[in-house]
């Protein structure tokens, strides 16, 4: 089945230790998004790729970076995780053909110790 | 800027009908989505409205009034599995052409009781 896959589902990292979260999709969608969602809060868009074009939200900290080596894969790099970065990280995809409905992966829950 | 308001929590009885309201103020508008999110899981798509009126899909219906900046999600014949958060999201045409970012409300946590 075509889908959005995120690995790992649960990630534990130490304060200040770089961590990478990965997302892959078999939907062949041209837009990929990374959201941060903390408990009882709305998903907050960090950045997105429209094809290869990277679009950073104005209030996304520099600590968060992203890479998209090809259509199928997108990575979220947190260079120096702080305790406040503990959250669920959601990857989503969309395309013009779906009215830009966003398809979400299962998320990666990040714990910072 | 964008502002989306939803009630924080609602409780309803199994078999009943519940209406979850969403009001929005945005600089632009290009559609409204409702997503369901169970605890610890990703949001899943429920409905999409871009024109005024009611869209019905099985037990779920969604209504939009663009002039009032208002939408609601109607859930009929509630089941225990409907206990979840329901997120209202507005598509923002101010983003890069074609990208159409979504701005989410904080969600309404619905608890269905026997």
């Amino acid at each position: 089945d075509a889908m959005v896959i995120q690995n790992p589902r649960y990630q534990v990292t130490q304060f200040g230790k770089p961590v990478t979260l990965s997302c892959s999709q078999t939907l062949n969608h041209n837009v990929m998004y990374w959201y941060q969602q903390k408990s009882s809060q709305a998903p907050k868009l960090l950045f997105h790729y429209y094809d290869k074009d990277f679009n950073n939200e104005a209030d996304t900290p520099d600590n968060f970076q992203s890479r998209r080596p090809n259509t199928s894969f997108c990575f979220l790099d947190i260079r120096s995780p702080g305790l406040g970065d503990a959250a669920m990280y959601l990857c989503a995809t969309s395309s013009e053909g779906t009215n830009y409905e966003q398809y979400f992966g299962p998320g990666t829950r990040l714990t910072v110790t | 800027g964008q502002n989306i308001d939803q009630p924080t929590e609602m409780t309803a009885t199994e078999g009943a009908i519940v209406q979850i309201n969403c009001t929005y103020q945005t600089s632009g508008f290009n559609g409204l989505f409702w997503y369901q999110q169970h605890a610890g899981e990703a949001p899943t798509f429920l409905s999409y409205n871009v024109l005024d009126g009611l869209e019905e899909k099985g037990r779920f219906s969604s209504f939009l009034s663009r002039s009032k900046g208002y939408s609601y999600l109607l859930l009929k014949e509630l089941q225990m599995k409907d206990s979840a958060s329901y997120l209202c999201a507005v598509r923002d045409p101010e983003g890069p052409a074609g990208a159409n970012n979504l701005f989410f409300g904080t969600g309404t946590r619905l608890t269905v009781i026997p």
Side-chain angles (χ1 to χ4, degrees):
Chain A
D1 289 341
M3 59 198 315
V4 182
I5 303 163
Q6 291 188 245
N7 286 305
R9 294 290 308 276
Y10 299 91
Q11 176 74 57
V12 181
T13 191
Q14 293 178 334
F15 182 94
K17 184 175 181 180
V19 65
T20 295
L21 310 182
S22 69
C23 176
S24 63
Q25 54 129 340
T26 60
L27 297 162
N28 203 32
H29 286 171
N30 63 323
V31 190
M32 294 187 77
Y33 309 80
W34 278 106
Y35 289 88
Q36 180 193 65
Q37 187 177 27
K38 297 185 177 181
S39 180
S40 302
Q41 296 185 19
K44 178 182 180 302
L45 183 66
L46 296 173
F47 25 59
H48 74 277
Y49 278 91
Y50 184 85
D51 293 323
K52 295 182 179 180
D53 294 332
F54 176 71
N55 298 275
N56 197 31
E57 292 301 296
D59 56 354
T60 298
D62 292 340
N63 197 27
F64 291 84
Q65 303 287 320
S66 185
R67 296 170 284 136
R68 189 180 186 185
N70 54 52
T71 301
S72 301
F73 286 88
C74 195
F75 299 99
L76 170 62
D77 300 310
I78 309 177
R79 293 192 295 188
S80 182
L83 297 180
D85 297 328
M88 174 75 86
Y89 289 87
L90 298 166
C91 173
T93 72
S94 73
S95 75
E96 186 176 12
T98 64
N99 277 320
Y100 288 102
E101 171 196 332
Q102 295 190 12
Y103 292 74
F104 285 85
T108 295
R109 181 169 297 282
L110 179 68
T111 300
V112 182
T113 61
Chain B
Q2 286 79 16
N3 187 47
I4 299 176
D5 290 315
Q6 306 178 235
T8 303
E9 293 190 13
M10 299 182 71
T11 301
T13 304
E14 189 176 15
I17 299 173
V18 69
Q19 178 174 312
I20 302 174
N21 295 324
C22 171
T23 58
Y24 62 90
Q25 300 90 37
T26 58
S27 53
F29 177 84
N30 192 18
L32 186 145
F33 293 79
W34 283 96
Y35 281 83
Q36 180 190 60
Q37 186 175 27
H38 285 98
E41 298 182 12
T44 55
F45 170 78
L46 288 178
S47 68
Y48 167 65
N49 294 72
V50 67
L51 299 176
D52 292 348
L54 187 68
E55 294 282 340
E56 297 188 74
K57 188 184 293 185
R59 293 190 299 114
F60 294 1
S61 303
S62 57
F63 172 83
L64 175 67
S65 170
R66 289 171 295 172
S67 62
K68 296 181 179 179
Y70 168 68
S71 173
Y72 67 72
L73 180 69
L74 192 71
L75 291 76
K76 303 176 185 176
E77 302 171 14
L78 280 174
Q79 302 176 8
M80 299 299 291
K81 67 178 182 180
D82 297 331
S83 292
S85 287
Y86 291 86
L87 303 169
C88 174
V90 173
R91 191 153 72 187
D92 166 34
E94 301 298 319
N100 291 296
N101 297 336
L102 291 181
F103 283 88
F104 284 86
T106 55
T108 299
R109 186 186 304 274
L110 174 67
T111 301
V112 180
I113 57 176

